[in-house]
PDB file of all heavy atoms in Angstrom:
ATOM      1  N   GLY A   9     -21.231  53.025  36.309  1.00  0.00           N
ATOM      2  CA  GLY A   9     -20.576  54.247  35.817  1.00  0.00           C
ATOM      3  C   GLY A   9     -19.558  54.776  36.811  1.00  0.00           C
ATOM      4  O   GLY A   9     -19.284  55.971  36.875  1.00  0.00           O
ATOM      5  N   ILE A  10     -18.993  53.877  37.616  1.00  0.00           N
ATOM      6  CA  ILE A  10     -18.049  54.280  38.685  1.00  0.00           C
ATOM      7  C   ILE A  10     -16.790  54.940  38.101  1.00  0.00           C
ATOM      8  O   ILE A  10     -16.117  55.706  38.779  1.00  0.00           O
ATOM      9  CB  ILE A  10     -17.675  53.045  39.551  1.00  0.00           C
ATOM     10  CG1 ILE A  10     -16.945  53.438  40.846  1.00  0.00           C
ATOM     11  CG2 ILE A  10     -16.792  52.047  38.785  1.00  0.00           C
ATOM     12  CD1 ILE A  10     -17.834  53.696  41.987  1.00  0.00           C
ATOM     13  N   THR A  11     -16.470  54.618  36.835  1.00  0.00           N
ATOM     14  CA  THR A  11     -15.258  55.189  36.229  1.00  0.00           C
ATOM     15  C   THR A  11     -15.485  56.612  35.714  1.00  0.00           C
ATOM     16  O   THR A  11     -14.542  57.263  35.271  1.00  0.00           O
ATOM     17  CB  THR A  11     -14.769  54.304  35.055  1.00  0.00           C
ATOM     18  OG1 THR A  11     -15.859  54.168  34.136  1.00  0.00           O
ATOM     19  CG2 THR A  11     -14.326  52.945  35.533  1.00  0.00           C
ATOM     20  N   GLY A  12     -16.720  57.089  35.774  1.00  0.00           N
ATOM     21  CA  GLY A  12     -17.004  58.441  35.278  1.00  0.00           C
ATOM     22  C   GLY A  12     -16.840  59.487  36.362  1.00  0.00           C
ATOM     23  O   GLY A  12     -16.514  59.179  37.510  1.00  0.00           O
ATOM     24  N   GLN A  13     -17.070  60.719  35.966  1.00  0.00           N
ATOM     25  CA  GLN A  13     -16.954  61.846  36.907  1.00  0.00           C
ATOM     26  C   GLN A  13     -17.849  61.660  38.140  1.00  0.00           C
ATOM     27  O   GLN A  13     -17.381  61.688  39.280  1.00  0.00           O
ATOM     28  CB  GLN A  13     -17.363  63.141  36.203  1.00  0.00           C
ATOM     29  CG  GLN A  13     -17.621  64.301  37.168  1.00  0.00           C
ATOM     30  CD  GLN A  13     -18.185  65.540  36.491  1.00  0.00           C
ATOM     31  OE1 GLN A  13     -17.423  66.395  36.092  1.00  0.00           O
ATOM     32  NE2 GLN A  13     -19.498  65.650  36.374  1.00  0.00           N
ATOM     33  N   ASP A  14     -19.147  61.473  37.905  1.00  0.00           N
ATOM     34  CA  ASP A  14     -20.085  61.420  39.035  1.00  0.00           C
ATOM     35  C   ASP A  14     -19.873  60.158  39.863  1.00  0.00           C
ATOM     36  O   ASP A  14     -20.045  60.183  41.090  1.00  0.00           O
ATOM     37  CB  ASP A  14     -21.535  61.446  38.524  1.00  0.00           C
ATOM     38  CG  ASP A  14     -21.900  62.783  37.909  1.00  0.00           C
ATOM     39  OD1 ASP A  14     -21.017  63.646  37.792  1.00  0.00           O
ATOM     40  OD2 ASP A  14     -23.075  62.963  37.542  1.00  0.00           O
ATOM     41  N   GLY A  15     -19.504  59.061  39.183  1.00  0.00           N
ATOM     42  CA  GLY A  15     -19.266  57.806  39.893  1.00  0.00           C
ATOM     43  C   GLY A  15     -18.200  57.985  40.963  1.00  0.00           C
ATOM     44  O   GLY A  15     -18.346  57.516  42.101  1.00  0.00           O
ATOM     45  N   ARG A  34     -17.693  47.923  32.885  1.00  0.00           N
ATOM     46  CA  ARG A  34     -18.145  47.048  31.787  1.00  0.00           C
ATOM     47  C   ARG A  34     -17.178  45.887  31.566  1.00  0.00           C
ATOM     48  O   ARG A  34     -17.579  44.809  31.191  1.00  0.00           O
ATOM     49  CB  ARG A  34     -18.380  47.808  30.505  1.00  0.00           C
ATOM     50  CG  ARG A  34     -17.284  48.706  30.048  1.00  0.00           C
ATOM     51  CD  ARG A  34     -17.641  49.286  28.698  1.00  0.00           C
ATOM     52  NE  ARG A  34     -17.602  50.748  28.691  1.00  0.00           N
ATOM     53  CZ  ARG A  34     -17.896  51.468  27.630  1.00  0.00           C
ATOM     54  NH1 ARG A  34     -18.259  50.890  26.523  1.00  0.00           N
ATOM     55  NH2 ARG A  34     -17.823  52.785  27.685  1.00  0.00           N
ATOM     56  N   HIS A  38     -11.494  47.652  30.658  1.00  0.00           N
ATOM     57  CA  HIS A  38     -12.032  48.981  30.383  1.00  0.00           C
ATOM     58  C   HIS A  38     -12.109  49.804  31.666  1.00  0.00           C
ATOM     59  O   HIS A  38     -12.422  50.992  31.632  1.00  0.00           O
ATOM     60  CB  HIS A  38     -13.453  48.802  29.825  1.00  0.00           C
ATOM     61  CG  HIS A  38     -13.761  49.700  28.679  1.00  0.00           C
ATOM     62  ND1 HIS A  38     -13.656  49.290  27.396  1.00  0.00           N
ATOM     63  CD2 HIS A  38     -14.157  50.990  28.633  1.00  0.00           C
ATOM     64  CE1 HIS A  38     -13.982  50.291  26.602  1.00  0.00           C
ATOM     65  NE2 HIS A  38     -14.293  51.332  27.327  1.00  0.00           N
ATOM     66  N   ASN A  40     -11.130  51.950  33.838  1.00  0.00           N
ATOM     67  CA  ASN A  40     -10.184  53.016  34.108  1.00  0.00           C
ATOM     68  C   ASN A  40     -10.566  53.696  35.430  1.00  0.00           C
ATOM     69  O   ASN A  40     -11.561  54.425  35.487  1.00  0.00           O
ATOM     70  CB  ASN A  40     -10.279  53.986  32.921  1.00  0.00           C
ATOM     71  CG  ASN A  40      -9.483  55.235  33.136  1.00  0.00           C
ATOM     72  OD1 ASN A  40      -8.894  55.441  34.191  1.00  0.00           O
ATOM     73  ND2 ASN A  40      -9.473  56.085  32.139  1.00  0.00           N
ATOM     74  N   LEU A  60     -24.193  45.347  31.730  1.00  0.00           N
ATOM     75  CA  LEU A  60     -25.537  45.840  32.051  1.00  0.00           C
ATOM     76  C   LEU A  60     -26.551  45.529  30.949  1.00  0.00           C
ATOM     77  O   LEU A  60     -27.751  45.690  31.140  1.00  0.00           O
ATOM     78  CB  LEU A  60     -25.494  47.355  32.313  1.00  0.00           C
ATOM     79  CG  LEU A  60     -24.660  47.796  33.520  1.00  0.00           C
ATOM     80  CD1 LEU A  60     -24.568  49.316  33.582  1.00  0.00           C
ATOM     81  CD2 LEU A  60     -25.233  47.259  34.829  1.00  0.00           C
ATOM     82  N   ASN A  80     -27.586  54.379  39.244  1.00  0.00           N
ATOM     83  CA  ASN A  80     -27.286  54.020  37.855  1.00  0.00           C
ATOM     84  C   ASN A  80     -26.771  55.228  37.079  1.00  0.00           C
ATOM     85  O   ASN A  80     -27.549  56.032  36.561  1.00  0.00           O
ATOM     86  CB  ASN A  80     -28.529  53.444  37.178  1.00  0.00           C
ATOM     87  CG  ASN A  80     -28.185  52.990  35.773  1.00  0.00           C
ATOM     88  OD1 ASN A  80     -27.076  52.482  35.524  1.00  0.00           O
ATOM     89  ND2 ASN A  80     -29.093  53.181  34.842  1.00  0.00           N
ATOM     90  N   LEU A  81     -25.452  55.322  37.001  1.00  0.00           N
ATOM     91  CA  LEU A  81     -24.819  56.472  36.329  1.00  0.00           C
ATOM     92  C   LEU A  81     -24.229  56.085  34.976  1.00  0.00           C
ATOM     93  O   LEU A  81     -23.835  56.959  34.204  1.00  0.00           O
ATOM     94  CB  LEU A  81     -23.702  57.048  37.215  1.00  0.00           C
ATOM     95  CG  LEU A  81     -24.060  57.307  38.680  1.00  0.00           C
ATOM     96  CD1 LEU A  81     -22.870  57.902  39.414  1.00  0.00           C
ATOM     97  CD2 LEU A  81     -25.245  58.240  38.788  1.00  0.00           C
ATOM     98  N   ALA A  82     -24.144  54.803  34.683  1.00  0.00           N
ATOM     99  CA  ALA A  82     -23.509  54.380  33.425  1.00  0.00           C
ATOM    100  C   ALA A  82     -24.366  54.804  32.236  1.00  0.00           C
ATOM    101  O   ALA A  82     -25.579  54.566  32.224  1.00  0.00           O
ATOM    102  CB  ALA A  82     -23.337  52.864  33.405  1.00  0.00           C
ATOM    103  N   ALA A  83     -23.732  55.446  31.279  1.00  0.00           N
ATOM    104  CA  ALA A  83     -24.455  55.835  30.055  1.00  0.00           C
ATOM    105  C   ALA A  83     -23.453  56.369  29.048  1.00  0.00           C
ATOM    106  O   ALA A  83     -22.382  56.857  29.426  1.00  0.00           O
ATOM    107  CB  ALA A  83     -25.474  56.933  30.355  1.00  0.00           C
ATOM    108  N   GLN A  84     -23.811  56.269  27.782  1.00  0.00           N
ATOM    109  CA  GLN A  84     -23.098  57.069  26.784  1.00  0.00           C
ATOM    110  C   GLN A  84     -23.605  58.477  27.072  1.00  0.00           C
ATOM    111  O   GLN A  84     -24.769  58.787  26.855  1.00  0.00           O
ATOM    112  CB  GLN A  84     -23.470  56.572  25.376  1.00  0.00           C
ATOM    113  CG  GLN A  84     -22.590  57.129  24.276  1.00  0.00           C
ATOM    114  CD  GLN A  84     -22.595  58.645  24.174  1.00  0.00           C
ATOM    115  OE1 GLN A  84     -21.732  59.320  24.774  1.00  0.00           O
ATOM    116  NE2 GLN A  84     -23.520  59.198  23.458  1.00  0.00           N
ATOM    117  N   SER A  85     -22.735  59.345  27.595  1.00  0.00           N
ATOM    118  CA  SER A  85     -23.213  60.584  28.218  1.00  0.00           C
ATOM    119  C   SER A  85     -23.016  61.843  27.378  1.00  0.00           C
ATOM    120  O   SER A  85     -23.316  62.932  27.848  1.00  0.00           O
ATOM    121  CB  SER A  85     -22.516  60.753  29.576  1.00  0.00           C
ATOM    122  OG  SER A  85     -21.126  60.935  29.363  1.00  0.00           O
ATOM    123  N   PHE A 100     -27.981  51.239  24.556  1.00  0.00           N
ATOM    124  CA  PHE A 100     -27.397  51.050  25.893  1.00  0.00           C
ATOM    125  C   PHE A 100     -28.139  51.858  26.949  1.00  0.00           C
ATOM    126  O   PHE A 100     -28.494  51.330  28.007  1.00  0.00           O
ATOM    127  CB  PHE A 100     -25.902  51.417  25.912  1.00  0.00           C
ATOM    128  CG  PHE A 100     -25.331  51.220  27.292  1.00  0.00           C
ATOM    129  CD1 PHE A 100     -25.032  49.943  27.757  1.00  0.00           C
ATOM    130  CD2 PHE A 100     -25.161  52.296  28.159  1.00  0.00           C
ATOM    131  CE1 PHE A 100     -24.573  49.745  29.060  1.00  0.00           C
ATOM    132  CE2 PHE A 100     -24.708  52.103  29.457  1.00  0.00           C
ATOM    133  CZ  PHE A 100     -24.402  50.821  29.901  1.00  0.00           C
ATOM    134  N   ALA A 124     -29.815  58.335  36.610  1.00  0.00           N
ATOM    135  CA  ALA A 124     -29.229  59.605  36.159  1.00  0.00           C
ATOM    136  C   ALA A 124     -29.917  60.049  34.874  1.00  0.00           C
ATOM    137  O   ALA A 124     -29.542  59.644  33.781  1.00  0.00           O
ATOM    138  CB  ALA A 124     -27.732  59.429  35.935  1.00  0.00           C
ATOM    139  N   THR A 125     -30.955  60.847  35.037  1.00  0.00           N
ATOM    140  CA  THR A 125     -31.619  61.428  33.874  1.00  0.00           C
ATOM    141  C   THR A 125     -30.898  62.754  33.572  1.00  0.00           C
ATOM    142  O   THR A 125     -29.866  63.027  34.156  1.00  0.00           O
ATOM    143  CB  THR A 125     -33.131  61.581  34.172  1.00  0.00           C
ATOM    144  OG1 THR A 125     -33.612  60.304  34.573  1.00  0.00           O
ATOM    145  CG2 THR A 125     -33.919  62.006  32.984  1.00  0.00           C
ATOM    146  N   SER A 126     -31.429  63.536  32.681  1.00  0.00           N
ATOM    147  CA  SER A 126     -30.702  64.751  32.293  1.00  0.00           C
ATOM    148  C   SER A 126     -31.682  65.866  31.962  1.00  0.00           C
ATOM    149  O   SER A 126     -32.789  65.623  31.459  1.00  0.00           O
ATOM    150  CB  SER A 126     -29.854  64.436  31.062  1.00  0.00           C
ATOM    151  OG  SER A 126     -29.447  65.626  30.442  1.00  0.00           O
ATOM    152  N   SER A 127     -31.250  67.087  32.185  1.00  0.00           N
ATOM    153  CA  SER A 127     -32.052  68.265  31.812  1.00  0.00           C
ATOM    154  C   SER A 127     -32.286  68.310  30.302  1.00  0.00           C
ATOM    155  O   SER A 127     -33.230  68.937  29.833  1.00  0.00           O
ATOM    156  CB  SER A 127     -31.318  69.529  32.241  1.00  0.00           C
ATOM    157  OG  SER A 127     -30.030  69.539  31.652  1.00  0.00           O
ATOM    158  N   TYR A 149     -29.308  61.302  22.466  1.00  0.00           N
ATOM    159  CA  TYR A 149     -28.987  61.194  23.898  1.00  0.00           C
ATOM    160  C   TYR A 149     -30.224  61.499  24.743  1.00  0.00           C
ATOM    161  O   TYR A 149     -30.592  60.743  25.643  1.00  0.00           O
ATOM    162  CB  TYR A 149     -27.863  62.175  24.251  1.00  0.00           C
ATOM    163  CG  TYR A 149     -27.613  62.320  25.737  1.00  0.00           C
ATOM    164  CD1 TYR A 149     -26.913  61.347  26.447  1.00  0.00           C
ATOM    165  CD2 TYR A 149     -28.099  63.419  26.455  1.00  0.00           C
ATOM    166  CE1 TYR A 149     -26.684  61.470  27.816  1.00  0.00           C
ATOM    167  CE2 TYR A 149     -27.881  63.548  27.823  1.00  0.00           C
ATOM    168  CZ  TYR A 149     -27.168  62.569  28.497  1.00  0.00           C
ATOM    169  OH  TYR A 149     -26.958  62.701  29.850  1.00  0.00           O
ATOM    170  N   LYS A 153     -32.458  59.257  27.379  1.00  0.00           N
ATOM    171  CA  LYS A 153     -32.631  59.620  28.793  1.00  0.00           C
ATOM    172  C   LYS A 153     -34.109  59.830  29.134  1.00  0.00           C
ATOM    173  O   LYS A 153     -34.539  59.544  30.248  1.00  0.00           O
ATOM    174  CB  LYS A 153     -31.815  60.879  29.112  1.00  0.00           C
ATOM    175  CG  LYS A 153     -30.309  60.640  29.155  1.00  0.00           C
ATOM    176  CD  LYS A 153     -29.930  59.800  30.371  1.00  0.00           C
ATOM    177  CE  LYS A 153     -28.452  59.591  30.518  1.00  0.00           C
ATOM    178  NZ  LYS A 153     -28.074  58.805  31.689  1.00  0.00           N
ATOM    179  N   LEU A 176     -30.551  66.124  36.128  1.00  0.00           N
ATOM    180  CA  LEU A 176     -29.410  66.976  36.452  1.00  0.00           C
ATOM    181  C   LEU A 176     -29.022  67.846  35.265  1.00  0.00           C
ATOM    182  O   LEU A 176     -28.999  67.379  34.119  1.00  0.00           O
ATOM    183  CB  LEU A 176     -28.211  66.121  36.896  1.00  0.00           C
ATOM    184  CG  LEU A 176     -28.145  65.881  38.414  1.00  0.00           C
ATOM    185  CD1 LEU A 176     -29.358  65.135  38.926  1.00  0.00           C
ATOM    186  CD2 LEU A 176     -26.885  65.146  38.799  1.00  0.00           C
ATOM    187  N   PHE A 177     -28.754  69.106  35.555  1.00  0.00           N
ATOM    188  CA  PHE A 177     -28.201  70.009  34.547  1.00  0.00           C
ATOM    189  C   PHE A 177     -26.678  69.798  34.531  1.00  0.00           C
ATOM    190  O   PHE A 177     -26.128  69.152  35.423  1.00  0.00           O
ATOM    191  CB  PHE A 177     -28.563  71.457  34.896  1.00  0.00           C
ATOM    192  CG  PHE A 177     -29.979  71.818  34.523  1.00  0.00           C
ATOM    193  CD1 PHE A 177     -31.061  71.170  35.099  1.00  0.00           C
ATOM    194  CD2 PHE A 177     -30.232  72.801  33.581  1.00  0.00           C
ATOM    195  CE1 PHE A 177     -32.368  71.489  34.742  1.00  0.00           C
ATOM    196  CE2 PHE A 177     -31.537  73.129  33.221  1.00  0.00           C
ATOM    197  CZ  PHE A 177     -32.607  72.478  33.799  1.00  0.00           C
ATOM    198  N   ASN A 178     -26.002  70.386  33.530  1.00  0.00           N
ATOM    199  CA  ASN A 178     -24.546  70.208  33.394  1.00  0.00           C
ATOM    200  C   ASN A 178     -23.829  70.478  34.713  1.00  0.00           C
ATOM    201  O   ASN A 178     -24.099  71.490  35.357  1.00  0.00           O
ATOM    202  CB  ASN A 178     -23.966  71.219  32.403  1.00  0.00           C
ATOM    203  CG  ASN A 178     -24.530  71.055  31.027  1.00  0.00           C
ATOM    204  OD1 ASN A 178     -25.712  71.301  30.804  1.00  0.00           O
ATOM    205  ND2 ASN A 178     -23.709  70.633  30.106  1.00  0.00           N
ATOM    206  N   HIS A 179     -22.915  69.580  35.060  1.00  0.00           N
ATOM    207  CA  HIS A 179     -22.101  69.829  36.253  1.00  0.00           C
ATOM    208  C   HIS A 179     -20.678  69.375  35.966  1.00  0.00           C
ATOM    209  O   HIS A 179     -20.452  68.380  35.282  1.00  0.00           O
ATOM    210  CB  HIS A 179     -22.700  69.148  37.487  1.00  0.00           C
ATOM    211  CG  HIS A 179     -23.146  67.753  37.255  1.00  0.00           C
ATOM    212  ND1 HIS A 179     -24.329  67.433  36.626  1.00  0.00           N
ATOM    213  CD2 HIS A 179     -22.545  66.570  37.557  1.00  0.00           C
ATOM    214  CE1 HIS A 179     -24.449  66.126  36.560  1.00  0.00           C
ATOM    215  NE2 HIS A 179     -23.370  65.565  37.104  1.00  0.00           N
ATOM    216  N   GLU A 180     -19.738  70.129  36.481  1.00  0.00           N
ATOM    217  CA  GLU A 180     -18.344  70.009  36.054  1.00  0.00           C
ATOM    218  C   GLU A 180     -17.421  69.755  37.234  1.00  0.00           C
ATOM    219  O   GLU A 180     -17.773  70.041  38.380  1.00  0.00           O
ATOM    220  CB  GLU A 180     -17.906  71.332  35.389  1.00  0.00           C
ATOM    221  CG  GLU A 180     -18.844  71.842  34.316  1.00  0.00           C
ATOM    222  CD  GLU A 180     -18.929  70.918  33.105  1.00  0.00           C
ATOM    223  OE1 GLU A 180     -17.874  70.427  32.657  1.00  0.00           O
ATOM    224  OE2 GLU A 180     -20.048  70.688  32.604  1.00  0.00           O
ATOM    225  N   ARG A 184     -14.159  65.668  34.895  1.00  0.00           N
ATOM    226  CA  ARG A 184     -14.980  65.668  33.679  1.00  0.00           C
ATOM    227  C   ARG A 184     -14.138  65.148  32.512  1.00  0.00           C
ATOM    228  O   ARG A 184     -12.942  65.478  32.399  1.00  0.00           O
ATOM    229  CB  ARG A 184     -15.396  67.112  33.421  1.00  0.00           C
ATOM    230  CG  ARG A 184     -16.444  67.305  32.368  1.00  0.00           C
ATOM    231  CD  ARG A 184     -17.766  66.752  32.770  1.00  0.00           C
ATOM    232  NE  ARG A 184     -18.882  67.536  32.290  1.00  0.00           N
ATOM    233  CZ  ARG A 184     -20.016  67.008  31.898  1.00  0.00           C
ATOM    234  NH1 ARG A 184     -20.197  65.702  31.925  1.00  0.00           N
ATOM    235  NH2 ARG A 184     -21.005  67.770  31.509  1.00  0.00           N
ATOM    236  N   SER A 185     -14.744  64.357  31.612  1.00  0.00           N
ATOM    237  CA  SER A 185     -13.994  63.851  30.448  1.00  0.00           C
ATOM    238  C   SER A 185     -13.569  65.021  29.555  1.00  0.00           C
ATOM    239  O   SER A 185     -14.269  66.034  29.479  1.00  0.00           O
ATOM    240  CB  SER A 185     -14.851  62.944  29.582  1.00  0.00           C
ATOM    241  OG  SER A 185     -15.505  62.016  30.344  1.00  0.00           O
ATOM    242  N   PHE A 188     -15.889  67.211  26.969  1.00  0.00           N
ATOM    243  CA  PHE A 188     -16.980  68.128  27.336  1.00  0.00           C
ATOM    244  C   PHE A 188     -16.485  69.571  27.316  1.00  0.00           C
ATOM    245  O   PHE A 188     -15.322  69.857  27.620  1.00  0.00           O
ATOM    246  CB  PHE A 188     -17.550  67.760  28.704  1.00  0.00           C
ATOM    247  CG  PHE A 188     -18.416  66.538  28.629  1.00  0.00           C
ATOM    248  CD1 PHE A 188     -17.877  65.271  28.806  1.00  0.00           C
ATOM    249  CD2 PHE A 188     -19.765  66.640  28.321  1.00  0.00           C
ATOM    250  CE1 PHE A 188     -18.669  64.142  28.701  1.00  0.00           C
ATOM    251  CE2 PHE A 188     -20.565  65.517  28.206  1.00  0.00           C
ATOM    252  CZ  PHE A 188     -20.020  64.265  28.396  1.00  0.00           C
TER     253      PHE A 188
HETATM  254  P1  LIG B 401     -19.164  60.125  32.345  1.00  0.00           P
HETATM  255  O1  LIG B 401     -18.027  60.744  33.070  1.00  0.00           O
HETATM  256  O2  LIG B 401     -19.210  60.196  30.864  1.00  0.00           O
HETATM  257  O3  LIG B 401     -19.248  58.598  32.797  1.00  0.00           O
HETATM  258  C1  LIG B 401     -20.090  57.697  32.145  1.00  0.00           C
HETATM  259  C2  LIG B 401     -19.918  56.339  32.767  1.00  0.00           C
HETATM  260  O4  LIG B 401     -20.770  55.432  32.045  1.00  0.00           O
HETATM  261  C3  LIG B 401     -18.490  55.780  32.693  1.00  0.00           C
HETATM  262  O5  LIG B 401     -18.210  55.087  33.875  1.00  0.00           O
HETATM  263  C4  LIG B 401     -18.572  54.827  31.513  1.00  0.00           C
HETATM  264  O6  LIG B 401     -17.697  53.712  31.609  1.00  0.00           O
HETATM  265  C5  LIG B 401     -19.990  54.305  31.662  1.00  0.00           C
HETATM  266  N1  LIG B 401     -20.455  53.748  30.384  1.00  0.00           N
HETATM  267  C6  LIG B 401     -20.610  54.400  29.213  1.00  0.00           C
HETATM  268  N2  LIG B 401     -21.005  53.550  28.247  1.00  0.00           N
HETATM  269  C7  LIG B 401     -21.086  52.319  28.852  1.00  0.00           C
HETATM  270  C8  LIG B 401     -21.424  51.023  28.375  1.00  0.00           C
HETATM  271  N3  LIG B 401     -21.778  50.819  27.116  1.00  0.00           N
HETATM  272  N4  LIG B 401     -21.381  50.005  29.272  1.00  0.00           N
HETATM  273  C9  LIG B 401     -21.055  50.210  30.566  1.00  0.00           C
HETATM  274  N5  LIG B 401     -20.714  51.429  31.065  1.00  0.00           N
HETATM  275  C10 LIG B 401     -20.736  52.459  30.204  1.00  0.00           C
HETATM  276  O7  LIG B 401     -20.567  60.731  32.868  1.00  0.00           O
HETATM  277  P2  LIG B 401     -20.853  61.579  34.189  1.00  0.00           P
HETATM  278  O8  LIG B 401     -20.600  63.004  33.893  1.00  0.00           O
HETATM  279  O9  LIG B 401     -20.216  60.930  35.347  1.00  0.00           O
HETATM  280  O10 LIG B 401     -22.437  61.431  34.282  1.00  0.00           O
HETATM  281  C11 LIG B 401     -23.042  60.362  35.002  1.00  0.00           C
HETATM  282  C12 LIG B 401     -24.432  60.142  34.488  1.00  0.00           C
HETATM  283  O11 LIG B 401     -25.203  61.331  34.628  1.00  0.00           O
HETATM  284  C13 LIG B 401     -24.513  59.753  33.019  1.00  0.00           C
HETATM  285  O12 LIG B 401     -25.574  58.845  32.870  1.00  0.00           O
HETATM  286  C14 LIG B 401     -24.854  61.067  32.325  1.00  0.00           C
HETATM  287  O13 LIG B 401     -25.543  60.859  31.112  1.00  0.00           O
HETATM  288  C15 LIG B 401     -25.722  61.724  33.363  1.00  0.00           C
HETATM  289  N6  LIG B 401     -25.696  63.193  33.347  1.00  0.00           N
HETATM  290  C16 LIG B 401     -24.526  63.858  33.474  1.00  0.00           C
HETATM  291  C17 LIG B 401     -24.524  65.235  33.475  1.00  0.00           C
HETATM  292  C18 LIG B 401     -23.242  66.018  33.640  1.00  0.00           C
HETATM  293  O14 LIG B 401     -23.260  67.227  33.454  1.00  0.00           O
HETATM  294  N7  LIG B 401     -22.140  65.398  34.022  1.00  0.00           N
HETATM  295  C19 LIG B 401     -25.731  65.937  33.353  1.00  0.00           C
HETATM  296  C20 LIG B 401     -26.914  65.211  33.256  1.00  0.00           C
HETATM  297  C21 LIG B 401     -26.895  63.841  33.266  1.00  0.00           C
HETATM  298  P3  LIG B 401     -16.316  53.611  30.797  1.00  0.00           P
HETATM  299  O15 LIG B 401     -15.302  54.299  31.663  1.00  0.00           O
HETATM  300  O16 LIG B 401     -16.109  52.145  30.686  1.00  0.00           O
HETATM  301  O17 LIG B 401     -16.519  54.298  29.486  1.00  0.00           O
END
Side-chain angles (χ1 to χ4, degrees):
I10 192 89
T11 56
Q13 165 187 268
D14 292 5
R34 50 175 125 181
H38 222 97
N40 173 357
L60 297 174
N80 184 36
L81 311 181
Q84 192 301 93
S85 65
F100 180 77
T125 306
S126 164
S127 57
Y149 170 77
K153 288 290 183 179
L176 269 61
F177 281 62
N178 298 67
H179 45 282
E180 310 295 317
R184 191 67 145 144
S185 312
F188 285 90

